[in-house]
Amino acid sequence: MKYWKFTLKLLMIFTIFLIANFVFAFIAFHITSWLFERLNLHLQGFWRQLTTVLGVFVLFACSAACIFLIGLKRQRNYWETIVDAIARIAKGDFNVQLDKMSDDENDHFGQLISGINHMAVELGELERMRQEFISNVSHEIQSPLTSINGFAKALKNMNLSEEKRQHYLAIIEMESHRLSKISDNLLKLTSLESQHHPFEPKHYRLDKQLRNVVLALEPNWLEKQLDIDIQLQNITINADEDLLNQVWLNVLSNSIKFTDKHGQICIAIIAQHDTVTVSIRDNGIGLTAEQQKHIFERFYKADQSRVATNGGSGLGLSIVKKIIDMHHGTITVQSKLGEQTTFLITLPLDSMTTDKEEHK
């Protein structure tokens, strides 16, 4: 396709060149004839042809100079527009949209302008996300700080009963812990996104890791008298054990948090040829279709009514998503409001050993 386009362009240029030469020759002949008559010169043969040819060259040179000057001016205006757009972007104005001169894929100026337009859009989106992030951080920090400040002032009242005093102190402690958790998660997320966070994959037993996480969270699910159903094959994966440990802790903690008393949580491993999928399903409060779209966004809280009691910061699943991305895996959520929620985490495998035996 490109070859035919190139050939067509050459033919068009050649045709225009021939037509231009014919026109220039016609004009030069009549001009020289007119000049000879005015000057009363009577050139014939070779000299007449020579003057006509020279006239053609003069006309051709003048036309080329005019086209060059017009093109140079146009190109200068083009570059000034590009430089102005880059200067605006450098100052933080990302509302830049330059018009392309043509839709030709081989037009280098067009490619440059497309690149600048794309850069402006991406930087504008990053700026929007940055401002939203700062706004969310400010909001998240302000809430516990307001509580701490209010209850600290209340504790100055000497007539407070010991019961109320202990209650206020417990709230201050809880909000302080919440602040600490927000700070810790922010630092962790920033470190993960910096591309400098340690990433040390090794071979280890995934099923053993999941069992250890369940045991670590035993006080949480025992308190709510949850039934934990574990179906794990013996599988060895190659991954960063510490980072994935954070993933299982965050996802399972969420399932425990949003499952009512006497509920059930099922944890299973599904092995494929070159991937392994960990399924964590609960019969908790569930999610709407709209909530499922935003569940992995920073500071997003699906259950706003229970934020104060669960102490969540809305960063846990963002951290999970980033860690899974670092492992070139995927995480999806399937849920029905008021019925169940299932998180499916799929990871690629370098090597895998499985045992047909299932454990409960």
Side-chain angles (χ1 to χ4, degrees):
M1 189 68 180
K2 288 184 178 180
Y3 171 77
W4 285 110
K5 284 185 177 179
F6 179 72
T7 305
L8 186 62
K9 282 184 178 180
L10 282 179
L11 287 173
M12 288 177 64
I13 292 170
F14 183 70
T15 304
I16 292 170
F17 179 75
L18 287 177
I19 294 172
N21 276 325
F22 176 78
V23 172
F24 289 153
F26 179 80
I27 295 171
F29 176 79
H30 283 83
I31 290 175
T32 54
S33 297
W34 178 78
L35 283 173
F36 293 157
E37 288 178 7
R38 293 296 299 269
L39 297 172
N40 199 24
L41 293 173
H42 302 283
L43 298 177
Q44 298 296 330
F46 171 77
W47 296 107
R48 184 64 178 264
Q49 292 178 6
L50 179 62
T51 53
T52 302
V53 171
L54 289 173
V56 170
F57 275 115
V58 170
L59 287 173
F60 187 81
C62 290
S63 300
C66 290
I67 293 170
F68 175 76
L69 291 173
I70 293 170
L72 187 64
K73 184 178 179 181
R74 188 179 180 187
Q75 193 178 61
R76 187 183 296 114
N77 292 337
Y78 212 50
W79 278 113
E80 286 175 356
T81 303
I82 291 173
V83 170
D84 178 65
I86 293 173
R88 285 169 58 191
I89 291 172
K91 291 178 181 178
D93 179 10
F94 304 118
N95 296 317
V96 173
Q97 197 67 27
L98 300 176
D99 295 326
K100 291 197 294 184
M101 292 180 67
S102 70
D103 295 325
D104 186 2
E105 295 179 358
N106 297 319
D107 180 15
H108 297 300
F109 279 112
Q111 292 174 3
L112 177 61
I113 284 178
S114 295
I116 291 173
N117 289 340
H118 180 68
M119 178 178 68
V121 170
E122 291 297 317
L123 288 174
E125 182 64 19
L126 283 174
E127 177 63 16
R128 184 194 66 77
M129 290 173 63
R130 185 185 70 83
Q131 291 178 356
E132 185 179 343
F133 179 74
I134 292 172
S135 174
N136 287 332
V137 170
S138 301
H139 174 75
E140 289 297 326
I141 291 176
Q142 190 60 38
S143 179
L145 280 177
T146 302
S147 295
I148 291 170
N149 184 52
F151 287 110
K153 285 180 180 178
L155 286 171
K156 292 180 179 179
N157 185 355
M158 302 300 294
N159 297 322
L160 271 179
S161 65
E162 185 60 26
E163 184 182 354
K164 280 192 174 181
R165 189 180 300 277
Q166 291 301 321
H167 176 64
Y168 292 168
L169 285 171
I171 292 175
I172 290 174
E173 184 181 9
M174 181 184 69
E175 294 295 344
S176 299
H177 176 71
R178 183 179 165 196
L179 266 178
S180 176
K181 190 175 180 181
I182 291 172
S183 174
D184 181 58
N185 282 337
L186 279 172
L187 288 172
K188 192 172 293 179
L189 192 56
T190 302
S191 175
L192 288 170
E193 292 181 341
S194 69
Q195 307 298 323
H196 298 298
H197 190 87
F199 184 73
E200 301 171 348
K202 64 178 182 180
H203 288 86
Y204 71 92
R205 284 275 297 278
L206 176 61
D207 56 301
K208 285 187 176 180
Q209 183 183 41
L210 288 167
R211 291 179 187 280
N212 289 335
V213 169
V214 171
L215 288 174
L217 294 174
E218 186 175 9
N220 303 56
W221 53 265
L222 278 181
E223 182 183 357
K224 300 181 79 171
Q225 301 177 36
L226 302 179
D227 175 28
I228 307 296
D229 181 17
I230 302 175
Q231 301 180 28
L232 305 177
Q233 303 176 47
N234 292 347
I235 294 183
T236 299
I237 65 170
N238 185 32
D240 189 307
E241 187 173 6
D242 291 337
L243 288 179
L244 282 188
N245 201 63
Q246 184 71 54
V247 168
W248 314 131
L249 280 170
N250 285 9
V251 175
L252 190 54
S253 294
N254 263 12
S255 293
I256 294 170
K257 189 184 300 179
F258 295 111
T259 301
D260 294 327
K261 279 190 173 183
H262 307 291
Q264 184 183 53
I265 295 175
C266 299
I267 305 169
I269 290 179
I270 306 162
Q272 291 89 29
H273 174 63
D274 54 357
T275 61
V276 62
T277 298
V278 176
S279 168
I280 299 177
R281 177 171 55 85
D282 64 68
N283 61 353
I285 61 175
L287 298 165
T288 65
E290 184 64 24
Q291 289 170 342
Q292 292 176 51
K293 293 178 184 177
H294 305 285
I295 195 68
F296 299 110
E297 294 177 6
R298 297 175 184 176
F299 295 108
Y300 183 78
K301 298 171 183 176
D303 186 22
Q304 293 290 342
S305 63
R306 296 175 63 179
V307 167
T309 57
N310 66 38
S313 63
L315 289 170
L317 290 178
S318 297
I319 292 172
V320 166
K321 180 71 166 61
K322 183 61 185 176
I323 293 173
I324 297 302
D325 287 344
M326 289 171 68
H327 284 82
H328 305 290
T330 60
I331 178 169
T332 57
V333 59
Q334 300 170 357
S335 184
K336 288 185 179 179
L337 191 63
E339 293 185 20
Q340 60 88 23
T341 299
T342 303
F343 282 93
L344 297 170
I345 299 104
T346 301
L347 298 167
L349 298 175
D350 285 0
S351 62
M352 176 179 71
T353 58
T354 62
D355 187 344
K356 299 295 180 183
E357 212 173 312
E358 288 188 344
H359 304 273
K360 291 192 178 182

